[in-house]
Amino acid sequence: MHLVLGGALLMPYFLLTEVVVGVAAGGVNALASPPLTLVSYVACLPLIAVTGLFGLVRPLSATAVRVMTGVPGERLADGPARPWGARWRAAAWWTLHLGTGAVVSGLSLAVPPLGVALIVMPFSGAVRAAMGEAGWLSAEAQGYVSPFVGAGVLAALAALCAAAGALLARLAPVLLGPTAADRLAAAEERAADLAVRNRLARELHDAVGHALSAVTLQAGAARRVLDRDPEFVREALAAIEETTRRTVGELDAVLGLLRDGDPARADAMPAPTLAGDLDGLLARTRAGGTALTAEQDPGPAGDWSQLPAITSREAYRIVQEGLSNALRHGTGPVALLIRAHPSDGHRELEITMTNPSAAPGPPAREDGPRRTTGGRGLRGAAERAALLGGRLEAGPHGDGWRLRAVLPLGGALAGPPADAGNPSPVPPPGRPPSPLPSPARRGLPGAGR
């Protein structure tokens, strides 16, 4: 079918050159003359090659090859041929496909009737008379040789078709395969897609993981004082409600991108920032009974709203992951320092978080579930820092555990406001945050801090 398709595509070129050749030969019908027919066929091949230089010839040919010849799709280029080298290769394929297809199509029309006639010749006087008049075989040979000759002719045609198809299938990846530029573009596209997927995975891990840790601790704190402090229980439940509402909003945003399949929208995905969401994050962490001290120093800017938006987003996620790590594995108070300061002639944002023990592994809390982690959160936080040209270190420090991230600020605290065009997805505008219980309650770890 692929070869016959090539023959059909050649017919407009052939008919055009047949008219031109007939006029040049004195107004005769070129189809009635085998030599002129051959000349018309040869003359149409350069015209086919010229039209094969159009960029869309390669994707159309590659689609036909992929569907009809069984050549693996990854060995063929999909996009239009743009460099001239790729265009010349596509033109060579176009000419080869149409030229070979025309020969095979013509033989497929002429040879089968001849082969069948030779096979039935010994059994039909009319066929013997017609073949004899045409001078195909002598009368003595008609009864003995013609069936074998007819079968041989049909077998030869089948072998020719198979050989032509195999040749085209072998040459297709060479002439229609991706160039170095095509492979580079495909690799860049895969890398961009992988980067977006990694980012979405980090967003899911950080948002959902932190929410689950916070809600678990808030619920545990409420359970411990359920009988003696109903007010704290109500506040803890309100904090749980607010935490889950925010997380559902972030989860919906990420899942919406995954369903739409549009990586370009990933940068526009709403995400929390230091300027708009840090205070709520710290309050919800304290609501779970964790003693947390936080020191913030925005520098000359006075607040975090002057941070570049991307730095504010990634810094928030790093702080969130550090707190999640401390909630899951920590045993004591957490100290957080966030400051913007000059370093070696440049301005940097430094995030330092310490607590007595936050190493991945089973927590020391007697009433908490024993759980482990694969370290994906810290690895994701390190990737966030590296994407901004910064660095992150996390590990034992003295008698406890320390996470320290340094993010460059490009020389000054300047850039689009952190909240502009990137609002936190929840709570809705006009809705005040839910009240958060204070950690200074009797019976909670770190009370009074």
Short mmCIF file of all heavy atoms in Angstrom, two decimals, residues 147-172:
data_model
loop_
_atom_site.label_atom_id
_atom_site.label_comp_id
_atom_site.label_asym_id
_atom_site.label_seq_id
_atom_site.Cartn_x
_atom_site.Cartn_y
_atom_site.Cartn_z
N PRO A 147 2.80 -22.52 -17.68
CA PRO A 147 2.38 -22.40 -16.27
C PRO A 147 3.53 -22.06 -15.35
O PRO A 147 3.38 -21.26 -14.41
CB PRO A 147 1.79 -23.78 -15.95
CG PRO A 147 1.35 -24.31 -17.27
CD PRO A 147 2.39 -23.82 -18.24
N PHE A 148 4.71 -22.65 -15.59
CA PHE A 148 5.86 -22.35 -14.74
C PHE A 148 6.36 -20.93 -14.97
O PHE A 148 6.77 -20.25 -14.03
CB PHE A 148 6.97 -23.36 -15.02
CG PHE A 148 6.59 -24.78 -14.73
CD1 PHE A 148 6.21 -25.63 -15.75
CD2 PHE A 148 6.58 -25.26 -13.42
CE1 PHE A 148 5.85 -26.93 -15.48
CE2 PHE A 148 6.22 -26.56 -13.14
CZ PHE A 148 5.85 -27.40 -14.18
N VAL A 149 6.31 -20.49 -16.23
CA VAL A 149 6.71 -19.11 -16.51
C VAL A 149 5.75 -18.14 -15.83
O VAL A 149 6.17 -17.13 -15.23
CB VAL A 149 6.77 -18.87 -18.03
CG1 VAL A 149 7.04 -17.39 -18.32
CG2 VAL A 149 7.83 -19.73 -18.68
N GLY A 150 4.45 -18.42 -15.91
CA GLY A 150 3.48 -17.54 -15.26
C GLY A 150 3.68 -17.48 -13.76
O GLY A 150 3.64 -16.39 -13.15
N ALA A 151 3.90 -18.64 -13.13
CA ALA A 151 4.14 -18.64 -11.68
C ALA A 151 5.42 -17.90 -11.35
O ALA A 151 5.50 -17.17 -10.34
CB ALA A 151 4.19 -20.07 -11.17
N GLY A 152 6.44 -18.08 -12.18
CA GLY A 152 7.70 -17.38 -11.94
C GLY A 152 7.55 -15.88 -12.07
O GLY A 152 8.15 -15.11 -11.29
N VAL A 153 6.76 -15.44 -13.04
CA VAL A 153 6.53 -14.01 -13.21
C VAL A 153 5.83 -13.43 -11.98
O VAL A 153 6.20 -12.36 -11.47
CB VAL A 153 5.71 -13.75 -14.49
CG1 VAL A 153 5.21 -12.29 -14.53
CG2 VAL A 153 6.55 -14.03 -15.72
N LEU A 154 4.81 -14.11 -11.48
CA LEU A 154 4.12 -13.62 -10.28
C LEU A 154 5.03 -13.62 -9.06
O LEU A 154 5.00 -12.69 -8.24
CB LEU A 154 2.89 -14.49 -10.02
CG LEU A 154 1.78 -14.42 -11.08
CD1 LEU A 154 0.64 -15.37 -10.72
CD2 LEU A 154 1.25 -13.00 -11.23
N ALA A 155 5.85 -14.68 -8.92
CA ALA A 155 6.79 -14.73 -7.80
C ALA A 155 7.82 -13.61 -7.90
O ALA A 155 8.21 -13.00 -6.88
CB ALA A 155 7.48 -16.09 -7.76
N ALA A 156 8.29 -13.33 -9.12
CA ALA A 156 9.26 -12.25 -9.29
C ALA A 156 8.64 -10.90 -8.91
O ALA A 156 9.30 -10.05 -8.30
CB ALA A 156 9.75 -12.22 -10.74
N LEU A 157 7.37 -10.69 -9.28
CA LEU A 157 6.71 -9.45 -8.91
C LEU A 157 6.59 -9.33 -7.39
O LEU A 157 6.84 -8.26 -6.82
CB LEU A 157 5.33 -9.39 -9.56
CG LEU A 157 4.46 -8.18 -9.16
CD1 LEU A 157 5.12 -6.88 -9.60
CD2 LEU A 157 3.06 -8.31 -9.77
N ALA A 158 6.21 -10.44 -6.74
CA ALA A 158 6.11 -10.40 -5.27
C ALA A 158 7.47 -10.11 -4.64
O ALA A 158 7.58 -9.33 -3.68
CB ALA A 158 5.55 -11.72 -4.75
N ALA A 159 8.53 -10.73 -5.17
CA ALA A 159 9.87 -10.49 -4.63
C ALA A 159 10.29 -9.04 -4.86
O ALA A 159 10.91 -8.41 -3.99
CB ALA A 159 10.87 -11.45 -5.29
N LEU A 160 9.96 -8.48 -6.02
CA LEU A 160 10.29 -7.08 -6.30
C LEU A 160 9.58 -6.15 -5.34
O LEU A 160 10.18 -5.20 -4.80
CB LEU A 160 9.91 -6.75 -7.74
CG LEU A 160 10.11 -5.28 -8.16
CD1 LEU A 160 11.58 -4.90 -8.09
CD2 LEU A 160 9.55 -5.04 -9.56
N CYS A 161 8.30 -6.39 -5.09
CA CYS A 161 7.55 -5.55 -4.14
C CYS A 161 8.16 -5.64 -2.74
O CYS A 161 8.32 -4.62 -2.04
CB CYS A 161 6.09 -5.97 -4.11
SG CYS A 161 5.19 -5.66 -5.64
N ALA A 162 8.49 -6.86 -2.30
CA ALA A 162 9.08 -7.03 -0.96
C ALA A 162 10.43 -6.34 -0.87
O ALA A 162 10.74 -5.68 0.14
CB ALA A 162 9.21 -8.51 -0.65
N ALA A 163 11.27 -6.47 -1.92
CA ALA A 163 12.58 -5.84 -1.90
C ALA A 163 12.46 -4.32 -1.91
O ALA A 163 13.19 -3.62 -1.18
CB ALA A 163 13.39 -6.31 -3.11
N ALA A 164 11.53 -3.78 -2.72
CA ALA A 164 11.36 -2.34 -2.75
C ALA A 164 10.86 -1.81 -1.40
O ALA A 164 11.32 -0.78 -0.90
CB ALA A 164 10.38 -1.95 -3.86
N GLY A 165 9.90 -2.55 -0.80
CA GLY A 165 9.40 -2.13 0.51
C GLY A 165 10.48 -2.18 1.58
O GLY A 165 10.59 -1.28 2.42
N ALA A 166 11.31 -3.24 1.57
CA ALA A 166 12.40 -3.35 2.54
C ALA A 166 13.42 -2.23 2.35
O ALA A 166 13.96 -1.69 3.33
CB ALA A 166 13.06 -4.72 2.43
N LEU A 167 13.70 -1.89 1.09
CA LEU A 167 14.66 -0.82 0.82
C LEU A 167 14.14 0.51 1.36
O LEU A 167 14.89 1.27 2.02
CB LEU A 167 14.90 -0.72 -0.68
CG LEU A 167 15.80 0.44 -1.14
CD1 LEU A 167 17.20 0.27 -0.58
CD2 LEU A 167 15.82 0.54 -2.66
N LEU A 168 12.88 0.81 1.10
CA LEU A 168 12.32 2.06 1.61
C LEU A 168 12.28 2.08 3.14
O LEU A 168 12.56 3.11 3.76
CB LEU A 168 10.91 2.27 1.04
CG LEU A 168 10.82 2.56 -0.47
CD1 LEU A 168 9.37 2.78 -0.87
CD2 LEU A 168 11.66 3.76 -0.85
N ALA A 169 11.94 0.95 3.74
CA ALA A 169 11.91 0.90 5.21
C ALA A 169 13.29 1.10 5.81
O ALA A 169 13.43 1.70 6.88
CB ALA A 169 11.33 -0.44 5.67
N ARG A 170 14.32 0.63 5.11
CA ARG A 170 15.69 0.80 5.62
C ARG A 170 16.16 2.24 5.44
O ARG A 170 16.90 2.77 6.28
CB ARG A 170 16.63 -0.16 4.89
CG ARG A 170 18.08 -0.07 5.35
CD ARG A 170 18.94 -1.07 4.61
NE ARG A 170 18.57 -2.44 4.98
CZ ARG A 170 19.09 -3.09 6.02
NH1 ARG A 170 19.97 -2.50 6.80
NH2 ARG A 170 18.71 -4.32 6.28
N LEU A 171 15.76 2.86 4.33
CA LEU A 171 16.22 4.22 4.04
C LEU A 171 15.40 5.29 4.75
O LEU A 171 15.85 6.44 4.86
CB LEU A 171 16.19 4.48 2.53
CG LEU A 171 17.20 3.69 1.69
CD1 LEU A 171 17.02 4.02 0.22
CD2 LEU A 171 18.63 4.00 2.13
N ALA A 172 14.20 4.94 5.20
CA ALA A 172 13.33 5.95 5.83
C ALA A 172 13.99 6.62 7.04
O ALA A 172 14.00 7.86 7.13
CB ALA A 172 11.99 5.32 6.21
#
